[in-house]
Amino acid sequence: MPELPDVEGFRRVAQRAEGRQVRGVQVRDAQVLRGVGSAEFQEALRRRYFGEPWRCGKWLVIPTAGAPNAEPGAPAVLAHFGMTGSFEWCGHGGEVHRHDRVVFDFAPGELRYHDMRKLTGLHLARQRGEVDELLAELGPDAQRIGAEEFGERLTRTRRGIKAALMDQSVLAGLGNICADELLWRARVHPNRATTELTADDLDQLHREMRAMLRDAVRAGRVPDDASWLTGHRDAPDQRCPRCSTALRRTRVGGRGTLWCPACQSD
């Protein structure tokens, strides 16, 4: 599932269209549109100029303007990538994949919304207030939250730490893979109650989260390097990259969870 680092990578792809005029929009599968029909979506964006895309957690917002130097405003495209969504930049004339659901046409190329499972998709915010409404339930972005607010928001949830980290209303951007990676780095058991975390635990979690996201955002994805827990998720012999102990799998909040019983004792 795309998480904060992946969406940051999609943001960089969408930057290829920044300042470019939409010549046309091809909706190849209207099931990925949320709250808007194909005709309205196409007409609202045709001849608009894409502004600078920005991210909030797992959401990507692309404002538009009526002229190249105009202030970006409504309408705006909001993308949530669900399990299998992505943005891809392609040259003209390239073969359109069957999972390319929406294609934005620009003079130098095409921005394609690609999604196999179609669990979420693209929203059209007709006014600025609609952007705020769609993002209203989100907590602070995980890459930007300060240490004090991070600790306060986690400890008021009274749940297991992994469930709290993945709750987008508490903290926006972390998913299953990032949460496992962070807890392994901080040596915290995924089922440990947030109310049991000390001030030092919370500071350590915040530092490790910032370092992890910095490296992952630079890569545009959660790296699967051998030094990362993520790099061992699909290994036939799953062992901790820090101590070589056999990793364990369990379910937390209905999600498959990978952890090290030696490094993350409960």
Side-chain angles (χ1 to χ4, degrees):
M1 175 181 291
E3 303 184 23
L4 187 157
D6 307 282
V7 178
E8 180 61 24
F10 303 151
R11 188 191 69 81
R12 295 171 190 165
V13 173
Q15 278 185 309
R16 299 281 297 272
E18 184 178 343
R20 305 286 186 180
Q21 187 179 39
V22 180
R23 301 195 305 185
V25 181
Q26 181 185 7
V27 178
R28 304 184 70 248
D29 189 339
Q31 290 184 6
V32 300
L33 299 182
R34 298 291 184 264
V36 61
S38 297
E40 182 185 358
F41 188 80
Q42 291 167 319
E43 184 59 28
L45 297 171
R46 192 164 59 91
R47 298 194 182 96
R48 301 287 293 183
Y49 289 82
F50 270 22
E52 181 180 4
W54 55 275
R55 181 188 52 71
C56 183
K58 300 180 185 182
W59 285 81
L60 185 64
V61 182
I62 306 176
T64 72
N69 298 319
E71 186 71 20
V77 177
L78 286 84
H80 192 284
F81 300 92
M83 291 286 291
T84 57
S86 66
F87 268 140
E88 299 175 5
W89 182 264
C90 303
H92 292 300
E95 182 179 356
V96 180
H97 193 277
R98 65 191 180 95
H99 295 150
D100 291 337
R101 309 298 184 180
V102 177
V103 179
F104 302 92
D105 177 48
F106 302 90
E110 297 173 344
L111 181 65
R112 301 180 181 181
Y113 178 74
H114 182 96
D115 195 350
M116 180 176 68
R117 297 184 63 182
K118 302 182 291 185
L119 297 180
T120 51
L122 303 179
H123 300 250
L124 180 71
R126 301 160 185 83
Q127 303 294 332
R128 171 68 205 193
E130 293 183 37
V131 175
D132 297 334
E133 289 175 9
L134 284 166
L135 304 181
E137 300 298 320
L138 296 180
D141 185 272
Q143 196 178 13
R144 303 185 187 101
I145 191 171
E148 184 176 351
E149 186 179 8
F150 175 81
E152 189 276 329
R153 294 184 72 88
L154 282 181
T155 53
R156 76 185 184 195
T157 64
R158 299 182 178 276
R159 284 181 291 173
I161 180 59
K162 181 174 179 181
L165 287 170
M166 292 196 302
D167 185 340
Q168 300 302 295
S169 69
V170 174
L171 188 66
L174 301 186
N176 194 46
I177 292 176
C178 280
D180 280 356
E181 185 71 37
L182 170 56
L183 293 170
W184 172 76
R185 288 175 175 230
R187 299 174 182 264
V188 175
H189 192 281
N191 278 326
R192 188 171 174 186
T194 57
T195 51
E196 296 176 358
L197 297 171
T198 67
D200 287 344
D201 292 331
L202 293 167
D203 285 343
Q204 177 74 3
L205 280 165
H206 185 258
R207 286 195 303 272
E208 294 291 354
M209 181 179 72
R210 288 179 61 86
M212 175 192 71
L213 290 177
R214 181 182 62 246
D215 292 342
V217 162
R218 186 180 297 120
R221 60 181 177 81
V222 181
D224 55 2
D225 298 347
S227 61
W228 287 57
L229 182 71
T230 308
H232 299 261
R233 296 189 77 90
D234 299 320
D237 182 22
Q238 296 177 332
R239 293 195 170 271
C240 175
R242 185 164 46 212
C243 71
S244 297
T245 298
L247 297 171
R248 290 187 185 173
R249 281 190 176 271
T250 187
R251 297 193 72 79
V252 175
R255 303 301 302 277
T257 299
L258 189 67
W259 56 286
C260 174
C263 295
Q264 299 166 265
S265 57
D266 51 8

